[in-house]
């Protein structure tokens, strides 16, 4: 009889304990226990990304995987390059972004510049130094000096022209005049086919800019 009484008392105590625990778990200000440990960050990221592919079994399979990754990277780089050449702001360098810089590029591309002859002339001067002809070297050097002076004059006029057009079209633009003038000067010095982004207009399209 004592054993039965003790068992009944123990069952009653156990029931009261479980009831109290359940009430505590359902209390409004108490967070119930999850019943399992919190997964680690590495395990959670692994579940989101999916299973890790098995390592290559042979050297040929490893080379094949490496070539596949290289092809994907090459294709992605090619696509980014093409978007940049088209003038997409998302793929341009910070100095080329924005409608103001795009307008400056268009203004430069719709004009012909003597500054674009500088790089070819430098190559000619370098070729004359290899020829070891003093007369040719003197004429080439003189032509280079004359072109440098003309570049300074033309660059100054181009900078004023670009700033005037930009202020008229974008009165709220915060770009400094010298920065816009230098940007136009640097683009005008480049050979037309090598300009980045690719020119959208030709000298015949000046009236289209407005």
């Amino acid at each position: 009889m004592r054993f039965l009484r003790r068992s009944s008392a123990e069952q009653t105590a156990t029931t009261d304990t479980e009831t109290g625990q359940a009430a505590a778990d359902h209390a409004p200000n108490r967070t119930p226990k999850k019943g399992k440990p919190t997964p680690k960050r590495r395990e959670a990221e692994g579940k989101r990304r999916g299973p890790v592919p098995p390592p290559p079994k042979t050297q040929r399979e490893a080379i094949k995987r490496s070539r596949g990754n290289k092809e994907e990277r090459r294709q992605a780089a090619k696509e980014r390059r093409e978007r940049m050449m088209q003038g997409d702001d998302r793929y341009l360098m910070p100095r080329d972004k924005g409608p103001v810089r795009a307008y400056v590029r268009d203004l430069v591309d719709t004009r012909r510049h003597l500054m674009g002859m500088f790089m070819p002339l430098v190559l000619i001067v370098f070729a004359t130094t290899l020829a070891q002809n003093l007369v040719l070297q003197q004429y080439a050097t003189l032509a280079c000096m004359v072109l440098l002076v003309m570049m300074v004059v033309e660059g100054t006029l181009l900078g004023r022209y670009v700033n005037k057009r930009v202020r008229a079209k974008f009165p709220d633009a915060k770009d400094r005049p010298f920065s816009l003038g230098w940007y136009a000067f640097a683009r005008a010095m480049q050979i037309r086919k090598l300009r980045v982004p690719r020119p959208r207009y030709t000298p015949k399209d000046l009236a289209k800019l407005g």
Side-chain angles (χ1 to χ4, degrees):
M1 296 298 291
R2 293 180 180 178
F3 292 107
L4 292 177
R5 291 176 182 175
R6 182 179 300 178
S7 299
S8 300
E10 291 177 355
Q11 290 178 0
T12 303
T14 304
T15 304
D16 294 340
T17 304
E18 293 178 353
T19 304
Q21 183 66 30
D25 291 342
H26 290 285
N29 297 328
R30 183 180 179 86
T31 303
K33 297 182 180 180
K34 293 183 293 186
K36 58 181 179 179
T38 304
K40 296 182 179 179
R41 182 176 180 182
R42 184 179 302 175
E43 297 176 357
E45 291 180 354
K47 290 181 179 179
R48 288 197 298 266
R49 296 176 182 175
V52 179
K57 298 179 180 181
T58 61
Q59 185 176 1
R60 180 178 298 180
E61 185 178 354
I63 295 175
K64 187 176 180 180
R65 286 190 186 181
S66 178
R67 288 179 180 176
N69 295 335
K70 288 182 180 179
E71 288 295 330
E72 292 177 359
R73 291 195 297 267
R74 188 177 302 172
Q75 186 65 26
K78 183 179 180 180
E79 183 178 355
R80 289 195 300 269
R81 172 73 178 178
E82 182 59 28
R83 294 289 183 87
M84 182 175 63
M85 293 299 294
Q86 293 175 358
D88 193 334
D89 259 8
R90 295 172 298 177
Y91 298 89
L92 292 177
M93 298 179 64
R95 67 180 183 185
D96 298 323
K97 290 184 177 181
V100 175
R101 296 303 173 105
Y103 185 64
V104 172
R105 293 195 298 269
D106 293 339
L107 290 175
V108 173
D109 296 337
T110 52
R111 295 166 62 96
R112 291 185 174 89
H113 309 277
L114 292 174
M115 292 180 288
M117 299 175 57
F118 179 73
M119 294 303 297
L121 186 59
V122 169
L123 295 178
I124 293 175
V125 173
F126 179 75
T128 56
T129 57
L130 298 179
Q132 296 182 354
N133 189 322
L134 294 179
V135 178
L136 288 178
Q137 291 179 10
Q138 290 176 357
Y139 279 111
T141 305
L142 180 61
C144 189
M145 294 298 297
V146 172
L147 184 61
L148 282 175
V149 175
M150 295 178 63
M151 283 176 55
V152 173
V153 176
E154 186 182 22
T156 303
L157 297 177
L158 177 63
R160 292 180 178 178
Y161 168 76
V162 166
N163 276 280
K164 182 179 179 180
R165 296 289 298 267
V166 168
R167 301 308 170 192
K169 190 174 181 63
F170 301 96
D172 298 331
K174 298 181 180 180
D175 301 73
R176 294 178 299 175
F178 178 80
S179 178
L180 292 178
W182 180 257
Y183 184 73
F185 178 80
R187 185 168 179 87
M189 279 189 60
Q190 299 173 355
I191 301 175
R192 186 178 183 85
K193 293 183 178 180
L194 301 180
R195 292 175 183 175
V196 179
R198 188 183 298 113
R200 299 185 296 182
Y201 296 95
T202 64
K204 298 179 182 180
D205 301 328
L206 180 59
K208 296 181 180 180
L209 291 180

